[in-house]
Amino acid sequence: MIVNQFLILGAAVFALGVYGVLSRRNAVMVLLSVELMLGAVNLNLVVFDRAFRDELAAGQIFSLFVIAIAAAEVGIGLAIILLIFRNRSSANVDELDLMKL
Amino acid sequence: MSFGDWIGQLENWVFAVLAFGTLAGAILVVHSRNVIHAALGLVLTLGSLAGLFLLLGAEFVAWTLVMVYIGAVIVLFLFGIMITRAPLGYEIDLSHPTSVKVTAAIVAGSLFALIGWAFLDAFEAVEFAAVDGPTRTADIGISMFTNYVIPFEVMSFLLLAALIGGIVLARQDPEEADE
């Protein structure tokens, strides 16, 4: 196994996540794409941890932190989307244009 | 290392299968016209990622990913999908029109080209250092509660704040509900 095969895969998943965030219209779908990007970041952290044989296992610990932050982010994000849906009965990001002139 | 040598290693076959699963799930997430299929695509992606972590010997991270993501986050997402009454069948309105999609594809494609070029330039054919077995969970725990205890405490505080914030945001005001 070479390091690059994992890194390129991570880059591909991250790019797909960026594509999803930009092209999705439904806010829940945008959150799903953000999860893809976080997963790609986790893969990179673990790969570098193993490739450099970190004695403190910092890469794995920080990928655990990323997982925890992602869980918190999903909770808050879905609560906000729920609130927007309750107030405007729509969860489409292009209809939230109150701050647009 | 030539491609023949690369494909001759058994672990690279496992990698190829898991990488295919990861990419197929990711494409399903960004491209499916059915919200439930998109959520299941995320399950496929994260399951394959957990397999890749096992391949790398990061067992604790792999099982945490399975428990937190596939166990909890996906359920939360399905709740979110059902509460916001996102249409459960096939739906054209889930994505922006084609012009936006093309722009998004150009942005994502150039980002992938840039990151991929940087990796290929920096790591060429670096192989993994000879690893003596998977990382022991005890080592992760010791390191987390000695060297990284302050980030850990900050994390737990952030989780508490997120918990309270989520409840405050999502709960219905009792006075409003009475009216």
Side-chain angles (χ1 to χ4, degrees), chain A residues 1-24:
Chain A
M1 290 192 292
I2 59 175
V3 176
N4 250 334
Q5 66 197 54
F6 289 94
L7 298 181
I8 300 289
L9 176 68
V13 175
F14 189 85
L16 276 169
V18 170
Y19 171 77
V21 168
L22 293 176
S23 74
R24 283 301 203 184

Side-chain angles (χ1 to χ4, degrees), chain B residues 148-170:
Chain B
Y148 297 104
V149 69
I150 292 176
F152 177 80
E153 292 296 338
V154 172
M155 266 302 312
S156 50
F157 190 73
L158 183 110
L159 268 182
L160 179 69
L163 184 75
I164 297 172
I167 293 171
V168 169
L169 281 175

Side-chain angles (χ1 to χ4, degrees), chain B residues 49-63:
Chain B
L49 272 182
L52 286 172
F53 291 164
L54 284 181
L55 188 67
L56 286 165
E59 291 177 347
F60 187 65
V61 182
W63 295 123

Side-chain angles (χ1 to χ4, degrees), chain B residues 67-174:
Chain B
M67 281 190 287
V68 174
Y69 264 100
I70 302 174
V73 169
I74 293 294
V75 175
L76 210 57
F77 263 116
L78 291 177
F79 267 117
I81 288 169
M82 285 165 192
I83 289 176
T84 57
R85 270 176 263 146
L88 293 183
Y90 287 91
E91 177 64 35
I92 357 160
D93 256 11
L94 229 48
S95 296
H96 285 297
T98 315
S99 58
V100 182
K101 273 187 184 172
V102 170
T103 319
I106 292 171
V107 171
S110 35
L111 185 71
F112 174 63
L114 182 69
I115 301 177
W117 173 78
F119 279 154
L120 286 176
D121 192 52
F123 292 100
E124 287 169 16
V126 179
E127 292 195 41
F128 280 93
V131 199
D132 35 355
T135 315
R136 286 172 60 238
T137 306
D139 291 342
I140 294 182
I142 289 168
S143 177
M144 184 183 277
F145 287 103
T146 52
N147 293 74
Y148 297 104
V149 69
I150 292 176
F152 177 80
E153 292 296 338
V154 172
M155 266 302 312
S156 50
F157 190 73
L158 183 110
L159 268 182
L160 179 69
L163 184 75
I164 297 172
I167 293 171
V168 169
L169 281 175
R171 125 198 123 124
Q172 212 133 25
D173 223 338

Side-chain angles (χ1 to χ4, degrees), chain A residues 31-51:
Chain A
L31 267 188
L32 275 177
S33 306
V34 171
E35 294 305 307
L36 276 187
M37 292 159 73
L38 289 168
V41 169
N42 272 339
L43 181 64
N44 268 24
L45 281 172
V46 173
V47 166
F48 282 127
D49 178 275
R50 291 306 272 180

Side-chain angles (χ1 to χ4, degrees), chain A:
Chain A
M1 290 192 292
I2 59 175
V3 176
N4 250 334
Q5 66 197 54
F6 289 94
L7 298 181
I8 300 289
L9 176 68
V13 175
F14 189 85
L16 276 169
V18 170
Y19 171 77
V21 168
L22 293 176
S23 74
R24 283 301 203 184
R25 194 156 164 267
N26 186 304
V28 180
M29 296 289 110
V30 174
L31 267 188
L32 275 177
S33 306
V34 171
E35 294 305 307
L36 276 187
M37 292 159 73
L38 289 168
V41 169
N42 272 339
L43 181 64
N44 268 24
L45 281 172
V46 173
V47 166
F48 282 127
D49 178 275
R50 291 306 272 180
F52 299 138
R53 299 189 65 184
D54 188 359
E55 282 181 12
L56 293 175
Q60 294 184 42
I61 287 172
F62 277 91
S63 74
L64 289 172
F65 289 163
V66 170
I67 291 173
I69 290 191
E73 173 249 311
V74 171
I76 293 290
L78 281 176
I80 291 173
I81 292 174
L82 192 65
L83 212 60
I84 289 172
F85 180 79
R86 225 183 257 155
N87 286 333
R88 317 201 51 174
S89 54
S90 149
N92 289 337
V93 285
D94 56 345
E95 286 164 30
L96 306 174
D97 50 3
L98 273 177
M99 289 168 79
K100 213 177 188 177
L101 273 176

